[in-house]
């Protein structure tokens, strides 16, 4: 029997029989079946489908036969016309699917996986003044280059001379020991075990031996325990105590956070104008403020104090948000009066524009650096301009008759007396204090948190009952300026609010894609 009347199936020879319409041929040893799809009398258009497979040409004279797995099956059962049609449909499918496969997926998870973290610097007026390049500095030094355990004596001078005179400082009570231990464990693990900066603890009463022993056990760096002077933690002589008591009752009635607590007013005043004057800090130039019961989510692979010093920075933050304006109703009026009375103290490159609301008569928009996290220059706070500003506010009684917080006071002082080029956004440091939570994008493997939007904490501290009007842009975007303020074409705040939004989702840059 000829080859064309046989086909191989399951290693057995089966006779080939033309199949009539409606007829099924099956093998008793197989689950396979073959059925014709058209009658023998179909038109020429269906002849294409019923044509039996042709035998493919054998190799020509002098050509060697090449055996390719699977080719025998193709030659036996697929005609050349069918193969051509199959190739056409495969090509068409590829043309259709390639754009889908290569289309950019803007979802955060995709972007985070393929992008690299980029520091963000504020847009400031270009001048001929030569400025340091902090972004380049980070690229060259974010490999723990200055970690204490990696530096030997020959390298010491090569890496930039002496170590910055800096300390980690914390105002904390004995009763907050557990919270302080949590903060210390995380910051030591993420950073300070490599850099060995001392811890300085402040309290308005003596620290217990239990507190000292527990905190010393968490670090190999030196620890110091200091007492806040009584004159810095008591009612000033020019404050009317009766009026102060009435203000406590009022602030508590309207729900201003901790406004009814005497100790909270003392704390705000001390952090605003006294901490940098404490004798224990006389020999230090830099500080990192550490609160009890906060979280540090990310590995920090460079010396933040050396970064501040080498790049001539004065102040560093990682959140810029709104606060409850009912806490400090007269703060902006008094600040404006100070600026009018002391114009010579305002820095020539100062930028107060990001703190003013043009839709509200250029009043203070209540934005502030969240001072629970701050890294800064002690020498700046000790300077003439800041000292004069604090005394101006203190003598007016705003820390007691209202609840002037150290966050807005620090923010306004920095904005008036420091150029933007000397203020740094520590976006790479993941941090949480209570409900405010910041986690940088594109730091996979270095952070134990989910990346947050740049606008994440914008108005979390403003209670629903507060009547204050929010600015047209989020605080951090107003500080950064430039492209961060650009809106999507056709978007409007009114339209977004009409559909249930908060009016802050129309930006071109979403804040987590860079």
């Amino acid at each position: 029997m000829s080859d064309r009347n046989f086909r191989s199936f399951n290693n057995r020879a089966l006779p080939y029989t033309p199949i009539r319409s409606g007829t099924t041929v099956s093998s008793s040893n197989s689950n396979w079946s073959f059925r014709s799809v058209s009658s023998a009398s179909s038109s020429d258009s269906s002849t294409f489908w019923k044509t039996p497979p042709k035998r493919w040409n054998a190799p020509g004279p002098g050509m060697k036969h090449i055996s390719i797995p699977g080719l025998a099956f193709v030659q036996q059962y697929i005609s050349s016309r069918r193969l051509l049609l199959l190739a056409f449909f495969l090509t068409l499918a590829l043309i259709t699917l390639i754009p889908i496969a290569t289309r950019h997926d803007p979802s955060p998870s995709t972007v985070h996986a393929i992008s690299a973290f980029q520091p963000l610097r504020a847009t400031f007026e270009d001048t001929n003044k030569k400025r340091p390049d902090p972004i380049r500095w980070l690229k060259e030094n974010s490999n723990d280059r200055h970690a204490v355990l990696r530096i030997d004596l020959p390298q010491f001078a090569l890496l930039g001379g002496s170590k910055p005179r800096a300390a980690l400082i914390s105002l904390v009570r004995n009763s907050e020991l557990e919270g302080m231990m949590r903060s210390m464990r995380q910051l030591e693990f993420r950073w300070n075990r490599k850099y060995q900066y001392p811890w300085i603890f402040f309290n308005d009463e003596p620290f217990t031996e239990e507190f000292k022993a527990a905190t010393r056990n968490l670090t190999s760096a030196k620890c110091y325990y200091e007492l806040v002077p009584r004159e810095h933690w008591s009612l000033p002589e020019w404050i009317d105590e009766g009026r102060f008591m009435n203000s406590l009752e009022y602030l508590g009635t309207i729900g201003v956070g901790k406004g009814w607590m005497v100790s909270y007013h003392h704390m705000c005043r001390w952090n605003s104008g006294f901490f940098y004057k404490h004798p224990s800090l006389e020999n230090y130039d830099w500080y990192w403020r550490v609160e009890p019961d906060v979280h540090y989510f990310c590995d920090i692979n460079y010396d933040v104090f050396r970064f501040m010093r080498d790049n001539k920075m004065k102040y560093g933050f990682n959140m810029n948000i709104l606060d409850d304006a009912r806490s400090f109703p007269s703060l902006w009026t008094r600040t404006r009066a100070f600026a009018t009375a002391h114009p010579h103290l305002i820095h020539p490159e100062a930028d107060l524009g990001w703190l003013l609301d043009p839709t509200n008569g250029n009043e203070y928009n209540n934005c502030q650096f969240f001072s629970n996290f701050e890294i800064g220059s002690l020498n700046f706070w000790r300077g003439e301009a800041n000292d004069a500003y604090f005394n101006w506010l203190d003598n007016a009684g705003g820390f007691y008759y209202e609840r002037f917080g150290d966050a807005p006071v620090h923010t306004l002082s920095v904005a008036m007396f420091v150029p933007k080029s000397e203020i740094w956004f520590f976006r790479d440091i993941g941090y949480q204090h209570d409900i405010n939570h910041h986690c940088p994008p594109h730091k996979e493997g270095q952070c134990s948190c989910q990346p947050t939007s740049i606008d994440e904490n914008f108005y979390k501290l403003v209670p629903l009952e507060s009547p204050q009007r929010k600015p047209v842009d989020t605080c951090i975007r107003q500080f950064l300026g430039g492209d961060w303020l650009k809106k999507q074409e056709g978007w409007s705040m009114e339209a977004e609010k009409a559909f249930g939004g908060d009016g802050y989702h129309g930006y071109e840059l979403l804040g987590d894609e860079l």
Side-chain angles (χ1 to χ4, degrees), residues 366-409:
N366 304 310
C367 288
Q368 58 186 304
F369 300 125
F370 193 52
S371 61
N372 297 82
F373 173 104
E374 62 181 18
I375 300 171
S377 165
L378 290 166
N379 292 323
F380 163 69
W381 297 123
R382 296 170 183 142
E384 177 191 1
N386 177 73
D387 198 49
Y389 177 56
F390 169 74
N391 289 332
W392 180 278
L393 299 178
D394 194 33
N395 290 331
F399 291 101
Y400 294 99
Y401 300 145
E402 300 175 24
R403 201 215 69 181
F404 284 7
D406 53 273
V409 170

Side-chain angles (χ1 to χ4, degrees), residues 294-307:
V294 298
H295 300 280
Y296 298 92
F297 299 117
C298 302
D299 295 334
I300 306 165
N301 299 321
Y302 60 94
D303 187 334
V304 298
F305 294 124
R306 192 179 290 266
F307 168 81

